[in-house]
């Protein structure tokens, strides 16, 4: 059978032997409807319900205030309690487990709900708008690409450009340094950056990029509408702020979190966010989530803790400033009124800083069952450094509780503190507000509703068939009617939720919810029941009074969980530490030639994590005056660097902010190989030996291993890029490129240590299989 297609098939003109005998015709181009609005979705990271002016905050957010003054506030908007699942739901309109995002895109336990890839039959909002003729741009945090698929050798099938965006600039992973982003990506290419200019700040940068994309579009096409997905890494930890922003908030939080909660709640009540009689819950008191009274802290603690919140407020302030620059650009183009601007958060404020906060973010972030007694989750820093490029900090969870005012708990939990977030939408040309309309909407709506709502506002129907393939049905429903009419009914009347075993089910004002303790059995005894119409802040557990409602909603949750791919649930097996067998390739020895771009973070971590390893630097005839970094791995949050300075070989080890250095003698002219041997020993520690041409010249350790998300910056050969391992060395030499002839650096990973979580998980699996 011939597969040759007639080249004239479908041509609507006529074709003769010559142009004179022929009639031309051109294919029609897809164009959006006349007057179709631009769409800007601003997604902030880890922001609680009360952190912007329109939702009760004292932080100056004049841009958001203006948008809310002419737009709509959804006071009862719900999302997922964690970032990747929320982003998957927002961009697809499907429940995240169906899409394969049961968790953040940093796990691979081998089940459908953890696939971490948006399938071809699930078109994203960007793809649907692009199909309809929109220009599509994304800047900032992506976090829908699994960490193991974020390197330059990956097929990029789940990167932004393959999911409907024309252009992308930002960070694929879930967090980064705002002064020294660890791996910027433009479109499909990681950028090879040695140093950032003084004064660089990532939130400013991604806004600059977004504005440039819009300006470029208008220079080439004066009417084509655009979709801009502006996904901030702020205000996710580590918390970092520009000095000028930080200065504006000095002293603002000296009164503490109790005072702050009360003030914010009063403003929320005055704005009509909650019915009369709504109560502010007591401080969180459950073990592991508890917050003490501000007045119970020492003066030193209060000063330190207030500084953390000043940094956080400065970050929120800066986001609003940058949104103002974007809206000013739209106004200059005459397009502000016909742009749908949506602002919300992926999940609620976080408690990950622990009870006292941390000045060493990555050591606090470690969750290993056998941390040694001398593990330090809060490496001291001078208070003046907090919020700057030398510190990676997070606030105490008391501020996370205040961020989530008036709700209980935090990001990660399915209580309201984790899932109710601010939501502002403005479109003056298409959604003008009536004089008697306050703009407040108290109807329940959910993150999966955003895609169908934005499509309806744009006048676009989601197809049943796309690219010859049936598309999966939506879980969300448009709430355009709620935006237009204050008293319209909610379009989303029931919804399941699950995150790391925390479960909930909402139906017509009833909410069934658990606070699950990891490793404990899943049973109906952990359900709590709340009547959200009378008790929106989830204070009065009615489970004992209404057992029939508990039974009904528990069954509904179970059915939804099977229908949406929620199972299996997390348990004490450690399965979330598992990786697909193919991942073992990343632990093979690797040789990096001089000039190799920085090795991606996850790829780099596989070479050293929870194991012994050797690093061998091959030199070509080292000279007496040669100096610089031979190899570096990490940043101010943790790492190590091997370098030559003033003729001497030195090794710097940054243990989550605490710097250790050893002098390994002069490096003699003619030296050929420099080796670092790291031996994994008990208590999650390494001991280091340094050798030159096989002869030991220095030792360092034992020091705590860099695990979890550290080192967060990948391996660099011949210099220390971006955020330095050693700040004193950076002040002396910046990135300190090696001046001699460096041939290569080879990493040789050893066998995993007995405490490697993946090794432990596989051992538990084998034991369970043997028992069965």
């Amino acid at each position: 059978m011939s597969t040759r297609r007639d080249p004239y098939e479908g041509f609507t003109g006529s074709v003769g032997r010559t142009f004179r005998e022929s009639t031309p015709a051109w294919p029609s181009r897809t164009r959006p409807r006349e007057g179709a609005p631009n769409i800007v979705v601003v997604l902030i990271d880890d922001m609680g319900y009360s952190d912007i002016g329109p939702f009760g905050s004292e932080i100056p957010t004049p841009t958001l205030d203006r948008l809310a003054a002419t737009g709509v506030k959804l006071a009862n908007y719900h999302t997922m309690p964690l970032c990747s699942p929320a982003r998957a739901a927002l961009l697809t309109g499907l429940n995240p487990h169906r899409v394969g995002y049961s968790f953040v895109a940093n796990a691979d336990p081998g089940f459908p709900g953890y696939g971490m890839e948006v399938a071809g039959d699930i078109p994203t909002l960007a793809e649907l708008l692009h199909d309809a003729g929109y220009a599509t741009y994304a800047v900032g945090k992506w976090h829908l690409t699994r960490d193991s698929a974020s390197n330059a050798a990956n097929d990029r099938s789940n990167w932004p450009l393959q999911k409907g965006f024309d252009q992308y600039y930002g960070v694929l992973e879930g967090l980064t340094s705002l002064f020294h982003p660890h791996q910027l990506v433009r479109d499909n290419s990681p950028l090879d950056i040695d140093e950032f200019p003084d004064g660089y700040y990532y939130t400013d940068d991604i806004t600059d990029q977004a504005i440039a994309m819009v300006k470029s579009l208008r220079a080439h096409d004066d009417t084509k509408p655009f979709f801009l997905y502006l996904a901030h890494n702020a205000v996710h930890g580590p918390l970092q702020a520009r000095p000028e922003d930080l200065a504006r908030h000095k002293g603002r939080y000296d009164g503490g979190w109790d005072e702050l909660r009360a003030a914010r709640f009063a403003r929320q009540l005055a704005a009509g966010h909650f019915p009369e009689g709504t109560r502010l819950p007591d401080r969180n008191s459950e073990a592991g989530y508890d917050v003490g009274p501000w007045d119970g802290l020492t003066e030193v603690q209060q000063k330190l803790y207030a500084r953390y919140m000043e940094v956080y407020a400065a970050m929120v302030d800066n986001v609003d400033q940058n949104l103002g620059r974007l809206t000013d650009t739209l106004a200059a183009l005459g397009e502000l009124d016909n742009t749908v601007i949506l602002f919300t958060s992926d999940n609620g404020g976080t408690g990950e800083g622990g009870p006292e906060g941390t000045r060493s973010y990555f050591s606090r972030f470690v969750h290993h069952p056998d941390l040694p007694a001398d593990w330090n989750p809060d490496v001291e820093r001078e208070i003046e450094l907090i919020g700057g490029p030398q510190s990676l900090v997070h606030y105490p969870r008391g501020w996370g509780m205040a961020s989530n005012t008036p709700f209980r708990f935090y990001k990660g939990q399915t209580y309201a503190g984790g899932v109710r977030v601010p939501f502002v939408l403005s479109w003056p040309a298409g959604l003008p507000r009536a004089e008697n309309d306050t703009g407040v909407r108290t109807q329940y709506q959910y993150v999966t509703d955003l895609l169908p709502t934005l499509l309806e506002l744009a006048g676009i129907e989601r197809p049943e068939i796309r690219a010859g393939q049936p598309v999966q049905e939506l879980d969300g429903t448009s709430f355009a009617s709620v935006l237009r009419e204050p008293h319209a009914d909610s379009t989303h009347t029931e919804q399941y939720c699950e995150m790391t075993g925390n479960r909930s089910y909402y139906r017509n004002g009833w909410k069934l919810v658990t606070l699950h303790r990891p490793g404990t059995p899943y049973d109906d005894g952990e359900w709590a029941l709340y009547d959200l119409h009378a008790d929106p802040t989830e204070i009065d557990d009615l489970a004992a009074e209404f057992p029939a409602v508990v039974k009904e909603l528990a069954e509904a949750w179970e059915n939804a969980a099977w229908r949406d791919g929620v199972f299996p649930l997390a348990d004490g097996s450690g399965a979330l530490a598992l990786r697909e067998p193919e991942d073992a390739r990343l632990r093979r020895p690797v040789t990096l030639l001089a000039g190799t771009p920085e090795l991606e973070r996850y790829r780099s971590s596989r070479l050293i994590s929870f194991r012994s390893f050797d690093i061998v630097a091959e030199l070509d005839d080292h000279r007496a005056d040669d100096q610089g970094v031979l190899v570096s791995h990490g940043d101010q949050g943790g790492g190590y660097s091997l370098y030559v300075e003033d003729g001497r070989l030195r090794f710097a080890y940054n243990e989550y902010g605490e710097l250790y250095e050893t002098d390994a003698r002069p490096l003699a002219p003619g030296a050929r190989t420099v080796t670092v041997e790291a031996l994994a020993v008990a208590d999650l520690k390494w001991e280091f030996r340094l050798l030159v041409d096989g002869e030991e010249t220095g030792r360092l350790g034992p020091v705590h291993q860099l695990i979890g998300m550290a080192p967060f910056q990948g391996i660099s050969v011949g210099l220390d890029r971006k955020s330095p391992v050693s700040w004193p060395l950076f002040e002396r030499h910046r990135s300190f490129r090696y001046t001699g002839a460096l041939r290569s650096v080879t990493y040789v990973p050893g066998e995993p240590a007995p405490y490697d979580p993946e090794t432990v998980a596989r051992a538990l699996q084998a034991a369970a299989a043997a028992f069965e």
Side-chain angles (χ1 to χ4, degrees):
M1 174 179 152
S2 173
T3 56
R4 183 185 183 92
R5 181 174 63 82
D6 181 353
Y8 301 112
E9 180 183 345
F11 179 62
T12 58
S14 63
V15 178
R17 287 179 58 81
T18 66
F19 281 128
R20 194 185 302 277
E21 298 168 326
S22 306
T23 305
W26 289 267
S28 60
R29 303 294 181 189
T30 300
R31 299 287 295 185
R33 65 173 174 83
E34 189 70 27
N38 305 314
I39 298 172
V40 176
V41 172
V42 182
L43 186 66
I44 199 165
D45 200 348
D46 285 5
M47 173 180 275
Y49 186 85
S50 70
D51 281 336
I52 60 173
F55 279 72
S57 181
E58 71 298 328
I59 301 171
T61 54
T63 305
L64 284 165
D65 293 347
R66 287 192 295 270
L67 294 175
T70 59
V72 172
K73 296 187 291 180
L74 294 190
N76 197 8
Y77 170 76
H78 287 64
T79 181
M80 282 292 291
L82 212 58
C83 38
S84 298
R87 292 159 201 276
L90 188 157
L91 288 173
T92 67
L94 275 66
N95 290 325
H97 298 84
R98 283 181 62 199
V99 190
Y101 290 86
S102 298
F103 192 57
V104 289
N106 301 88
D108 190 12
F111 296 99
Y114 295 83
M116 307 297 174
E117 292 184 2
V118 182
D121 61 352
I122 305 176
T124 67
L125 179 59
E127 288 173 312
L128 295 169
L129 290 170
H130 194 274
D131 290 349
Y134 272 68
T136 53
Y137 307 123
V139 297
K141 173 173 172 173
W142 181 239
H143 212 196
L144 291 176
T145 301
R146 194 196 308 279
D147 48 14
S148 59
S150 297
N151 62 76
N154 191 259
D155 64 9
R156 296 163 168 80
S157 60
N158 216 52
W159 290 29
L161 263 62
Q162 283 60 252
K163 292 303 165 187
F165 289 101
D166 295 322
Q167 291 181 253
Y168 171 70
Y169 179 87
V171 172
L172 294 178
E173 289 202 277
L175 59 102
T176 197
S177 164
L178 300 187
F179 291 109
H180 301 103
H182 68 291
Q183 181 61 83
L184 285 170
V185 171
R186 184 182 296 281
D187 298 333
N188 273 330
S189 299
L191 298 179
D192 196 22
I193 297 170
D194 291 352
E195 298 177 10
F196 288 100
D198 292 338
Y200 174 91
Y201 192 65
Y202 174 76
T203 306
D204 298 341
D205 184 15
I206 61 173
T207 305
D208 288 342
Q209 298 292 328
I211 290 172
M213 291 172 186
V214 171
K215 286 181 176 179
S216 178
L217 174 66
R218 282 296 164 262
H220 293 88
D221 190 319
D222 62 350
T223 61
K224 186 174 187 176
F226 64 85
F227 168 46
L228 171 63
Y229 177 56
L230 201 173
H232 287 285
N233 286 78
V235 285
H236 195 295
L239 305 183
Q240 296 176 312
R242 299 188 314 176
E244 57 269 38
D245 294 328
L246 184 53
R248 282 194 295 277
H249 298 275
K250 185 173 179 58
R252 187 186 294 274
Y253 298 100
D254 292 352
W257 47 62
D258 295 320
E259 178 182 292
L260 187 67
R261 287 181 81 215
R264 289 185 174 187
F265 184 52
R267 288 190 285 268
Q268 292 167 348
L269 289 176
H273 288 202
F274 302 102
E276 189 176 343
T278 300
R279 294 162 294 160
L280 181 66
D282 293 337
R283 287 183 299 272
N284 295 327
S285 59
E286 291 78 3
Y289 306 99
D290 53 309
V291 176
W294 181 261
D295 290 345
L297 301 173
T298 67
E299 187 175 332
V300 172
Q301 287 174 315
Q302 288 181 349
K303 183 179 180 181
L304 174 62
Y305 294 4
R307 171 74 175 203
Y308 287 131
M309 187 60 189
E310 290 167 10
V311 177
Y312 182 86
M315 295 170 72
V316 176
D317 179 347
N318 179 265
V319 166
D320 188 83
Q321 292 175 49
N322 277 292
L323 181 56
R325 293 201 296 127
L326 177 61
T327 57
D328 287 348
T329 301
L330 295 174
L333 293 169
E335 298 186 37
L336 183 57
D337 281 357
N338 197 34
T339 300
V340 177
I341 300 179
L342 187 162
F343 178 96
T344 190
S345 179
D346 58 349
N347 47 250
T350 181
E352 68 190 19
E356 70 276 1
T358 182
R359 290 159 286 186
S360 50
Y361 184 74
F362 291 124
S363 67
R364 169 71 69 185
F365 210 51
V366 167
H367 300 286
H368 191 283
D370 297 315
L371 288 180
D374 61 346
W375 188 271
N376 186 1
D378 181 26
V379 175
E380 287 193 21
R381 278 279 194 273
E382 296 86 351
I383 196 167
E384 293 77 17
L385 297 179
I386 291 175
Q390 291 177 252
S391 64
L392 280 75
V393 309
H394 216 312
Y395 60 29
R397 60 178 174 239
W399 295 122
M401 176 187 65
S403 176
N404 295 330
T405 301
F407 305 120
R408 298 166 61 202
F409 300 110
Y410 317 92
K411 165 187 177 181
Q413 287 86 61
T414 48
Y415 275 79
V419 299
R420 287 188 68 170
V421 293
F423 186 105
V424 175
L425 188 146
S426 172
W427 182 25
L431 294 170
R433 236 171 63 187
E435 286 186 14
N436 61 347
D437 183 355
T438 65
V440 176
R441 302 291 187 267
T442 57
Q443 296 89 330
Y444 179 100
Q445 299 298 159
Y446 191 62
V447 60
T448 54
D449 300 335
L450 297 190
L451 181 145
T453 300
L454 293 172
L455 290 181
E456 181 175 343
L457 296 182
I460 297 168
E461 289 189 15
R462 184 176 185 265
E464 295 181 3
I465 304 289
R466 183 176 182 271
Q469 182 181 23
V471 301
Q472 292 199 40
E473 67 181 18
L474 290 174
D475 292 307
T477 52
S478 170
F479 55 79
S481 59
V482 172
L483 298 174
R484 294 189 171 101
E485 171 51 54
H487 304 295
D489 291 335
S490 165
T491 64
H492 203 117
T493 57
E494 56 186 289
Q495 180 64 44
Y496 86 93
C497 188
E498 186 276 333
M499 181 53 56
T500 59
N502 292 309
R503 300 171 285 160
S504 72
Y505 200 88
Y506 170 86
R507 178 181 285 168
N508 291 324
W510 287 108
K511 181 177 177 182
L512 193 68
V513 62
T514 69
L515 185 66
H516 184 70
R517 293 291 174 179
T520 62
Y522 293 95
D523 59 56
D524 288 346
E526 64 179 359
W527 288 116
L529 179 69
Y530 299 98
D531 176 1
L532 299 188
H533 291 310
D535 180 25
T537 52
E538 301 173 351
I539 296 174
D540 300 321
D541 179 6
L542 304 177
E545 293 181 44
F546 297 95
V549 178
V550 172
K551 184 174 185 295
E552 176 188 335
L553 296 186
E555 289 175 354
W557 185 91
E558 192 81 7
N559 292 335
W562 283 114
R563 185 174 65 250
D564 285 274
V566 175
F567 295 115
L569 296 173
D571 55 21
S573 67
L576 280 177
L578 294 175
R579 293 286 178 155
E580 67 168 324
E582 183 73 9
D583 206 50
R585 297 173 65 253
L586 303 182
R587 296 196 187 276
R588 296 178 193 164
V590 61
T591 295
L592 307 172
L593 299 179
T596 299
E598 181 178 290
L599 200 63
E600 182 270 333
R601 178 200 68 81
Y602 180 80
R603 175 72 177 93
S604 298
S605 74
R606 296 301 87 191
L607 298 170
I608 69 166
S609 61
F610 295 106
R611 65 192 58 237
S612 302
F613 61 94
D614 292 347
I615 310 171
V616 182
E618 299 279 354
L619 310 178
D620 276 337
D621 195 24
H622 175 75
R623 299 168 304 188
D625 60 348
D626 285 338
Q627 64 175 357
V629 173
L630 299 177
V631 62
S632 68
H633 183 190
D635 52 27
Q636 281 293 282
Y640 53 88
S641 175
L642 180 67
Y643 62 97
V644 183
E645 184 182 30
D646 297 331
R648 304 186 73 86
L649 180 66
R650 300 177 186 271
F651 184 68
Y653 188 82
N654 185 326
E655 187 188 77
Y656 303 103
E658 187 166 351
L659 188 64
Y660 299 89
E661 295 191 80
T662 189
D663 184 318
R665 306 181 195 170
L667 186 61
R672 293 289 184 176
T673 65
V674 178
T675 302
V676 177
E677 293 182 352
L679 178 65
V681 296
D683 295 328
L684 291 169
K685 292 181 178 179
W686 278 319
E687 293 179 347
F688 289 96
R689 294 176 67 223
L690 281 80
L691 303 95
V692 176
D693 291 333
E695 179 186 352
E696 182 178 315
T697 59
R699 286 177 175 256
L700 187 147
V703 288
H704 289 117
Q705 293 182 23
L706 299 169
I707 56 178
M709 299 297 284
F712 199 67
Q713 199 165 285
I715 296 167
S716 287
V717 173
L719 75 167
D720 188 354
R721 291 182 170 94
K722 295 171 286 196
S723 177
V725 170
S726 167
W727 195 266
L729 186 66
F730 174 75
E731 289 183 318
R732 294 195 298 271
H733 300 290
R734 307 291 289 189
S735 56
F736 203 21
R737 185 177 288 274
Y738 180 62
T739 59
L742 173 63
R743 183 184 304 169
S744 65
V745 172
T746 298
Y747 273 75
V748 183
E751 291 299 311
Y755 40 72
D756 170 38
E758 190 169 357
T759 301
V760 172
R762 293 196 186 280
L764 287 172
Q765 279 191 332
F771 179 77
E772 291 293 334

